[in-house]
Amino acid sequence: MSIIEIRNLTKKFELDGHTITALDGIDLSIEKGDVFGIIGMSGAGKSTLVRSINYLETPTEGDVLIDGENLANLNEKQLRRMRSRIGMIFQNFNLLEQKNVLENVCFPLEVNGVKKKDARKRAKEVLQLVKLSEKEKAYPSQLSGGQQQRVAIARALATNPQILLCDEATSALDPQTTFSILSLLREINETLGITIVIITHQMSVVTEVCKKVAIIDGGRLAETGTVEKIFRNPESDAAKELISGKEIRFTPLSNLDTGRKIRIVFKENSAYEPVMANMILKLQAPVNILKADTRNVGGKAVGEMILGLPEGESIKADIISYLTERGISVTEDFENE
Amino acid sequence: MNEQVIIMLLEGIRDTLYMTFGSVILGYALGLPMGILLYMSGEDGLKPKPVIYRILDLIINIVRSIPFLILLILLIPFTRLLVGQSYGSTATIVPLVICAAPYIARVVDNSFHEVDEGVIEAARAMGADNWQIVWKVLLVEARTSLLTGFTITTGVLLGYSAMSGTVGGGGLGDIAVRYGYYRWDTDIMVVTVILLIVIFQIIQNVGTKISQQSDKRKR
Ligand SMILES: Nc1ncnc2c1ncn2[C@@H]1O[C@H](COP(=O)(O)OP(=O)(O)O)[C@@H](O)[C@H]1O
Ligand SMILES: [Mg+2]
C-alpha cells in the first residue's frame, strides 16, 4: 500500500468571479521510503498539490489517502493529529522569529501536548541530527539561510513524522547550501526511513536526490516515473522543457587559454543550441563554454552563458555581432569570479 | 507655590495615572479579545465569519467616529449606572474604556496582520489549532508591534483623560481647566501642562524601549 495515495485530485479557486483550476484530476502514488520529486514551472500547481497532501487545502474533488486513511473522513481534531505525522518545510523557512532555535523546535511538540521538559529533550536530539546543537540559543535572524532551513527540518522532524513535505525548500538558497540541504534530506530518508516529497522548479534538485518524479504542467500530471527514465527519455513537452531548457551545466574540459570572456543572455532557453552550434560552424571559432545556467530574473527564466573567446580582436567582433543580430544580449569582458 | 498647591498637583498626577492606566488595562481587557475576534473572523483570518466581522467592524467604526467629549456626555447615564456618579476619576474611566476598546481592537488586528502568513501556515501544518495559533504564534510574533500599539494607546488615553477635565473628570486636566480657564491662574495651568508633557514623554520612552528590547529579529 502506498503511503500517499492521491486520486483524481482537483482543486478550484474562486477569485473575483473567475474559477481557477489549480489542479485537474491528479492521480499519484508515493511509496513508503521514497524520495519523490514533484517538478513544474511556476504556477503549475505544485504548492496546491503539496498543501493538499496535509489538507491545508481541501480538495474540490478527489481523495487523499495517507497510509490508507482518507483525509476526507477525518474531523478537525483527527486532521490536526494527522498533520503532526506529516512534517513540512518551506521556501522561506517560516520560523518563529521571536523565538530561539530550541523554542522553535519545541513548538510542534508543545502544540501536540508534549510536556515542556520532554519537548526540550527531543528538540535537542533533532538539533543534533541536523548538526545545529551549538545554535540552540540563537534567534533565526542570527542564522544563515541554510542554518534556518536546518532548524526548520529539525522542527519538522521533532514529532517523528512518517512523511516530510518540502515546498521549494532550497529555492531561496545558493547552490552550495542547496547541495548540503539536499544531502541532509537524503540522509534523513536513508537513516530514518522517512518518505520525502520534494516540490521544486529546478531539475537539478530532482536529479540530485529524487528516485521518482512527477511532472506537473498547468494543474495536470504530465508525466511520472523514475528520474532516470524521465531524464533519459522524456515524453511530455513539459518534461523536455524542464530537462533541456534549464540549468544545463557544462564543465569546461580543460581550462583552455582564453583571452576574453563574454557573457551572453538568451530570452528563450530553447534558442541555446542552434545559435551556438551555427555560430561555431559559420565562424569556425572554437569558443569555450565556461558556464551555462538559467536564472530567474523578475519572474522570467533567462538563459545565461559565459563564453571564453579565442585570441584576436576581429574574431571577437564577429562573434559579438553574430550574437547581437540574433537578439542575444552580450556583455563584453565579463569576469566570472 | 504653597504646600496646598503642591499636594493638589501630586493628587492630580496620581489621578491622571490612575485614569490612564486604569482605562488602558480595562480597555485591553475588552479590546484585545475584540481584536482577536476581528482578526479571526476577517476575510483572510483564521476562521472567516463575514457576518460577525461586519457587525464588529461597524460597532468599532461607530464608536471611533464619535468625538471623545461627546461620547463622554452621551455616556453619562451609563456611567452613573455603573459607578454611581458621573464625575471624578473613576467615573471618567468608563467613557475612556468605551472609547479605547474599539481603538485597541483595530490596533491588535493590525499587529496580527503584520505576522508572516508563512509562519501561520507552518503552525497549521504542525497541527496547531486556531487558539494555539493565537496564543503561541500571533501574540508572540506580533509582540513588538503590540507593545508599540500599547504605548501609543496609553499616550492617547493620557490626552483624553486630561480632556475629560473640562467636565470635572479629575486629574491634571481638571486642575488646568479649573485654574487656567475659570481663575486665570496661568502659573498653575502651565505647571500642569508641563507635568502632562513629562508624563507623556516618560510613557513614550519607556514603552518604546520595552518594545524594542522585546524584538529578537535584529541583533
Ligand atoms: N488561494 C488561492 N486563491 C486563488 N488562486 C490560487 C490560490 N492558490 C493558488 N492559486 C492559483 O493556483 C495556481 C497554482 O498555484 P501554485 O500551486 O501556488 O503553483 P506553484 O506552486 O506550482 O507555483 C496558480 O494559478 C495560482 O494563482
Ligand atoms: Mg509554489
Side-chain angles (χ1 to χ4, degrees):
Chain A
M1 183 179 54
S2 314
I3 189 159
I4 303 172
E5 180 94 34
I6 295 167
R7 291 184 193 152
N8 188 33
L9 182 66
T10 297
K11 177 72 189 184
K12 293 180 177 156
F13 291 106
E14 297 293 334
L15 199 69
D16 309 323
H18 295 281
T19 302
I20 300 167
T21 306
L23 296 174
D24 191 2
I26 304 265
D27 287 298
L28 205 60
S29 295
I30 298 175
E31 304 303 319
K32 201 170 167 62
D34 265 353
V35 181
F36 198 101
I38 295 174
I39 186 169
M41 302 289 185
S42 173
K46 307 180 295 293
S47 293
T48 310
L49 178 57
V50 78
R51 296 173 82 252
S52 302
I53 295 177
N54 56 7
Y55 254 49
L56 284 177
E57 212 76 81
T58 317
T60 311
E61 269 171 62
D63 294 299
V64 176
L65 287 80
I66 302 292
D67 235 350
E69 187 142 26
N70 193 332
L71 300 191
N73 299 336
L74 302 184
N75 63 28
E76 283 277 316
K77 198 173 165 198
Q78 292 168 319
L79 202 54
R80 286 199 297 273
R81 186 153 314 141
M82 174 62 84
R83 284 188 187 131
S84 70
R85 289 166 51 197
I86 306 175
M88 193 169 189
I89 59 173
F90 309 84
Q91 178 168 2
N92 299 321
F93 326 125
N94 296 347
L95 298 174
L96 293 156
E97 302 229 57
Q98 304 289 4
K99 293 208 174 229
N100 70 25
V101 166
L102 192 66
E103 291 164 337
N104 262 286
V105 180
C106 285
F107 182 88
L109 296 162
E110 284 168 20
V111 158
N112 287 287
V114 177
K115 282 202 212 77
K116 206 154 202 153
K117 208 176 135 214
D118 299 335
R120 289 173 82 85
K121 189 161 159 269
R122 172 67 185 152
K124 283 175 194 245
E125 275 171 31
V126 271
L127 279 172
Q128 200 145 26
L129 188 74
V130 301
K131 301 173 192 77
L132 265 183
S133 295
E134 79 281 11
K135 294 283 184 196
E136 65 173 51
K137 290 277 182 293
Y139 286 90
S141 64
Q142 299 165 322
L143 302 177
S144 69
Q147 289 172 328
Q148 289 190 54
Q149 196 60 292
R150 278 171 191 272
V151 176
I153 291 171
R155 181 174 71 170
L157 296 180
T159 48
N160 250 322
Q162 301 162 278
I163 300 169
L164 179 61
L165 307 175
C166 315
D167 190 356
E168 302 273 11
T170 58
S171 298
L173 304 174
D174 62 63
Q176 244 146 356
T177 315
T178 295
F179 183 79
S180 82
I181 293 292
L182 294 178
S183 307
L184 176 62
L185 291 178
R186 190 191 299 120
E187 191 187 316
I188 286 164
N189 169 258
E190 283 165 3
T191 57
L192 305 176
I194 294 174
T195 309
I196 300 184
V197 179
I198 294 181
I199 301 284
T200 179
H201 65 276
Q202 295 171 297
M203 199 65 193
S204 59
V205 169
V206 170
T207 51
E208 184 69 38
V209 281
C210 298
K211 294 167 192 158
K212 289 184 201 148
V213 63
I215 294 163
I216 304 287
D217 186 25
R220 288 168 187 269
L221 188 65
E223 198 171 343
T224 176
T226 64
V227 173
E228 207 193 331
K229 184 242 152 203
I230 289 189
F231 201 73
R232 270 201 210 155
N233 193 7
E235 281 165 18
S236 63
D237 288 344
K240 283 176 198 162
E241 200 173 336
L242 284 161
I243 289 164
S244 63
K246 295 234 161 192
E247 298 215 17
I248 318 162
R249 251 168 220 289
F250 299 91
T251 319
L253 289 176
S254 64
N255 233 337
L256 288 178
D257 214 20
T258 49
R260 299 280 169 77
K261 288 174 188 163
I262 59 168
R263 174 177 179 269
I264 59 175
V265 176
F266 298 78
K267 291 209 189 70
E268 295 287 345
N269 299 324
S270 49
Y272 261 60
E273 288 169 44
V275 173
M276 292 306 297
N278 292 343
M279 182 188 78
I280 292 166
L281 285 173
K282 179 153 185 267
L283 302 178
Q284 295 290 305
V287 299
N288 190 14
I289 296 170
L290 300 169
K291 188 188 169 204
D293 207 347
T294 306
R295 281 169 194 253
N296 193 339
V297 183
K300 278 211 177 97
V302 293
E304 174 202 53
M305 268 193 189
I306 295 173
L307 304 178
L309 305 187
E311 292 291 353
E313 279 307 314
S314 68
I315 188 78
K316 181 188 161 197
D318 287 348
I319 290 173
I320 291 171
S321 63
Y322 185 92
L323 293 170
T324 21
E325 269 165 34
R326 278 151 191 85
I328 293 163
S329 334
V330 179
T331 316
E332 293 186 42
D333 296 325
F334 182 80
E335 276 309 315
N336 179 29
E337 271 94 56
Chain B
M1 231 181 267
N2 61 33
E3 206 176 311
Q4 245 180 325
V5 174
I6 291 175
I7 288 172
M8 179 185 71
L9 287 172
L10 285 175
E11 280 174 358
I13 293 173
R14 182 201 62 198
D15 289 350
T16 292
L17 292 178
Y18 168 65
M19 285 188 289
T20 306
F21 286 101
S23 59
V24 163
I25 290 164
L26 291 176
Y28 266 88
L30 213 65
L32 185 65
M34 255 168 97
I36 292 171
L37 195 61
L38 192 66
Y39 175 84
M40 285 187 80
S41 63
E43 200 180 352
D44 44 5
L46 298 175
K47 203 171 181 141
K49 289 260 185 279
V51 177
I52 293 182
Y53 181 82
R54 244 172 275 151
I55 292 172
L56 214 53
D57 189 56
L58 187 71
I59 293 174
I60 289 169
N61 282 346
I62 289 173
V63 177
R64 289 199 58 200
S65 60
I66 303 172
F68 177 65
L69 264 180
I70 295 177
L71 193 71
L72 195 72
I73 295 161
L74 276 177
L75 284 173
I76 285 176
F78 178 65
T79 305
R80 196 171 285 150
L81 191 78
L82 220 60
V83 293
Q85 59 185 43
S86 63
Y87 52 89
S89 313
T90 305
T92 306
I93 289 179
V94 176
L96 280 174
V97 169
I98 302 292
C99 166
Y103 180 81
I104 291 165
R106 277 275 186 255
V107 169
V108 167
D109 181 46
N110 253 321
S111 296
F112 282 0
H113 273 105
E114 283 168 25
V115 175
D116 184 356
E117 277 186 46
V119 179
I120 297 167
E121 164 122 330
R124 230 193 250 291
M126 287 182 273
D129 63 30
N130 288 339
W131 287 113
Q132 287 173 323
I133 290 175
V134 170
W135 288 117
K136 290 173 180 281
V137 179
L138 293 172
L139 287 173
V140 173
E141 290 295 285
R143 183 175 55 205
T144 300
S145 169
L146 287 168
L147 286 169
T148 306
F150 184 88
T151 306
I152 294 171
T153 308
T154 309
V156 169
L157 288 175
L158 175 68
Y160 282 1
S161 79
M163 205 194 283
S164 72
T166 49
V167 289
L172 292 172
D174 202 16
I175 295 170
V177 170
R178 270 190 282 136
Y179 285 80
Y181 189 67
Y182 294 117
R183 294 195 206 165
W184 289 104
D185 186 340
T186 38
D187 284 357
I188 290 184
M189 190 178 74
V190 167
V191 171
T192 56
V193 169
I194 289 171
L195 283 173
L196 280 169
I197 292 171
V198 169
I199 294 172
F200 187 86
Q201 286 298 328
I202 292 172
I203 291 172
Q204 276 303 310
N205 290 347
V206 172
T208 307
K209 186 139 264 166
I210 291 173
S211 79
Q212 274 171 359
Q213 266 172 4
S214 77
D215 195 357
K216 308 293 184 196
R217 277 172 299 188
K218 26 196 185 283
R219 261 179 281 169

